[in-house]
Amino acid sequence: MDDHLTATEKSRLRRYHERGHFDRATINGILDAQPMCSVGYIIDGCPYVTPTFQWREGNRVYWHGSSASRALRNAKDAEVCLTVSILDGFVLARSGMHHSANTRSVMLFGKAVKIADPEEKVTKLRNFVNGLFPQRYDTLRPDHPQDLKATMVLGMDINEGSAKIRTGDPGDDEADYDLPIWAGVIPVTMQIGTPVPDPRNLEGVELPEHVRNFRLE
Amino acid sequence: MDDHLTATEKSRLRRYHERGHFDRATINGILDAQPMCSVGYIIDGCPYVTPTFQWREGNRVYWHGSSASRALRNAKDAEVCLTVSILDGFVLARSGMHHSANTRSVMLFGKAVKIADPEEKVTKLRNFVNGLFPQRYDTLRPDHPQDLKATMVLGMDINEGSAKIRTGDPGDDEADYDLPIWAGVIPVTMQIGTPVPDPRNLEGVELPEHVRNFRLE
């Protein structure tokens, strides 16, 4: 779906080498590349955008938080918008107008459903941890029942949404390519650093594979 | 302001070494460190979260987009929520419950005001470009009147909002520190890469200082 774009916007997007992507593989690829997302709720008639982590299982996306969270309690059975955006570069053109950013983003729309069943909730949280750090959840101190009660897990089917991707060089007006102005791209990447062990780790506890090999995408 | 957090949430945040920060310097520091933001609007009663760039001038934050954008037209004189979030690390604890993320985020609430005056609009767009790339705007092909017409600039006073910061090691339950589980932080940073010149740059055009020295924060 892309009905939030007017015809003018669509044509402008094309001009900027941007494309709306609606195929599931593209959407999944962006969701899987970046757990950080922004979830938009409506509380008392006002928009409310909270940063959180999302994870995907097949055709569903999940996120979680405190059961006491006003935003999450409001989100249950309500319309939400979940947006993931990745900045890949600053695009410097020959006019201010054509400055842009290389980005990958996904917007998903739908009703958030609360995962009420305690066993399903544990399964989802396990999948969340193990999705980022394979098999880690199974090495941890098992969740206390009160921890699970304090945690709300929400899910949403991936039915309505779109991805937008911009890559490559600036798209300047043809006449402007004759100007002696430096144009190009300043790339941006997310760098995973060297793991910092907790000073309270027990002696002899080794860095696990799921930390050593941690990568996104 | 932090009235979107319940007492339980606040106590939970403290437990996680998180703090709500309300001082202007902290909020400004986060806004200035990351131009990417998510702006939440309400369209036809549904939340709508769009990724875009923001820039700050004193006590105001600005963003821009196509004048034809349905979201931006809806945002004018309406309540919006502008959120910036920076992921600094994955926090791996000894239980699933205490896994977390080191993040810096800001949520701002208020009414978006459209910058209608064409000269003020140019000044704002100039400040946006020059804020990221000092003096660049003044070296560019000047904006065409139709470019400016096609661009909407919105501003919002920084009056209502909060910053949230989490740093440091995992915060585990005291009993769990005896477990032989690796805990720690996987740091994440935004890496600025080597500038990629547009293949259509004229011969002899040199890499400007504002590109060579580009840094965020």
Side-chain angles (χ1 to χ4, degrees), chain A residues 48 136 174 182 189 200, chain B residues 4 136 174 182 191 200:
Chain A
Y48 187 94
R136 178 169 182 86
E174 201 46 47
W182 189 93
T189 50
R200 297 186 63 181
Chain B
H4 55 279
R136 178 169 181 85
E174 201 47 45
W182 189 95
Q191 193 81 17
R200 295 185 66 181

Side-chain angles (χ1 to χ4, degrees), chain A residues 3-197:
Chain A
D3 62 10
H4 55 277
L5 295 179
T6 63
T8 318
E9 277 182 302
K10 279 182 187 158
S11 107
R12 192 163 172 274
L13 291 181
R14 270 189 289 275
R15 193 174 164 208
Y16 280 86
H17 312 189
E18 286 173 336
R19 292 282 180 282
H21 294 262
F22 320 107
D23 62 294
R24 188 54 49 88
T26 305
I27 288 177
N28 289 352
I30 295 171
L31 293 172
D32 296 349
Q34 177 52 268
M36 277 286 276
C37 70
S38 298
V39 184
Y41 312 100
I42 299 178
I43 300 184
D44 298 336
C46 291
Y48 187 94
V49 179
T50 54
T52 190
F53 275 0
Q54 53 80 30
W55 69 101
R56 186 181 66 85
E57 298 182 26
N59 192 35
R60 278 194 129 187
V61 67
Y62 294 92
W63 63 104
H64 80 307
S66 161
S67 297
S69 152
R70 199 171 153 209
L72 256 68
R73 280 184 288 124
N74 267 271
K76 189 169 82 76
D77 302 321
E79 293 290 335
V80 301
C81 174
L82 187 152
T83 296
V84 170
S85 54
I86 302 168
L87 175 61
D88 291 321
F90 294 89
V91 179
L92 287 79
R94 294 157 183 90
S95 65
M97 176 73 183
H98 289 300
H99 277 63
S100 187
N102 283 340
T103 57
R104 287 168 285 160
S105 64
V106 165
M107 291 176 70
L108 300 176
F109 302 93
K111 262 197 169 53
V113 174
K114 181 179 155 181
I115 308 305
D117 178 67
E119 276 187 40
E120 192 185 353
K121 207 199 265 187
V122 174
T123 304
K124 293 308 158 198
L125 293 170
R126 179 177 182 272
N127 292 345
F128 173 34
V129 172
N130 284 348
L132 285 168
F133 315 108
Q135 299 171 319
R136 178 169 182 86
Y137 190 86
D138 312 287
T139 68
L140 300 174
R141 182 266 284 161
D143 288 316
H144 296 316
Q146 68 268 30
D147 290 349
L148 289 168
K149 265 192 199 151
T151 305
M152 192 187 285
V153 177
L154 295 171
M156 182 168 75
D157 286 338
I158 305 178
N159 274 336
E160 200 191 353
S162 63
K164 209 167 82 176
I165 296 178
R166 192 207 185 279
T167 57
D169 299 316
D172 270 303
D173 290 348
E174 201 46 47
D176 293 339
Y177 284 97
D178 292 335
L179 298 171
I181 297 169
W182 189 93
V185 173
I186 303 179
V188 173
T189 50
M190 203 170 82
Q191 194 81 18
I192 305 295
T194 306
V196 180

Side-chain angles (χ1 to χ4, degrees), chain B residues 39-60:
Chain B
V39 185
Y41 311 102
I42 298 177
I43 300 184
D44 298 337
C46 291
Y48 186 94
V49 179
T50 53
T52 189
F53 275 0
Q54 55 78 31
W55 68 100
R56 185 181 66 86
E57 299 181 24
N59 192 36
R60 280 194 125 188

